[in-house]
Amino acid sequence: MIAAVCAASFLANGVLQLLLALGLPLGRFVLGGVYPVSPVMLRPLNLAFFLAWSGCALAYLRYGGLLRRPLRERTARGIVYASTLWLFIASAFNLFITASDFERYVTGTLSTLTCVLSLYLVWHRDGTRLCPCRINARR
């Protein structure tokens, strides 16, 4: 369930980037709200982010056991670990550095919630592998 929520969050962010690439006036949610409409020169980057966030959504679904393909388990795990780190950094910027209230309260809240869920997912699923001090009680 947590993997599905994280995937939905990444997909929502991907759709936001796609809408920005199409020229909709949603710029107040990104880049500190500097551009009400994404400039034409940034739209290919918005499209690239749409593809990247969609890939992250697929990785969370694979990591959570909700999909078997198109990613290998090891690849999905690496993407989820990198995404969790990215979410931590993005949350700090969205909550504390941005000048946009929309980015702070909407995007920042979403990234922080997704970060916490992602950390929980990684710890719950791979916690015994991440901490070498744990002893497996099964024999």
Side-chain angles (χ1 to χ4, degrees), residues 74-119:
R74 185 175 179 189
T75 304
R77 183 182 315 119
I79 292 171
V80 167
Y81 286 4
S83 297
T84 303
L85 178 60
W86 173 259
L87 285 166
F88 183 77
I89 294 166
S91 296
F93 276 88
N94 287 337
L95 292 175
F96 303 114
I97 297 174
T98 186
S100 168
D101 287 337
F102 283 99
E103 191 174 12
R104 178 173 292 122
Y105 297 116
V106 178
T107 312
T109 301
L110 182 64
S111 65
T112 303
L113 175 66
T114 307
C115 182
V116 169
L117 291 174
S118 188
L119 283 168

Side-chain angles (χ1 to χ4, degrees), residues 22-87:
L22 294 174
L24 273 71
L26 299 170
R28 59 185 169 198
F29 294 103
V30 297
L31 297 174
V34 174
Y35 306 108
V37 175
S38 187
V40 175
M41 64 182 208
L42 288 180
R43 291 182 187 179
L45 187 60
N46 294 128
L47 188 57
F49 276 131
F50 164 70
L51 295 173
W53 299 155
S54 298
C56 289
L58 285 174
Y60 273 94
L61 293 175
R62 173 67 168 115
Y63 186 75
L66 301 169
L67 287 179
R68 289 196 167 270
R69 297 183 193 259
L71 300 171
R72 294 183 327 185
E73 177 67 27
R74 185 175 179 189
T75 304
R77 183 182 315 119
I79 292 171
V80 167
Y81 286 4
S83 297
T84 303
L85 178 60
W86 173 259
L87 285 166

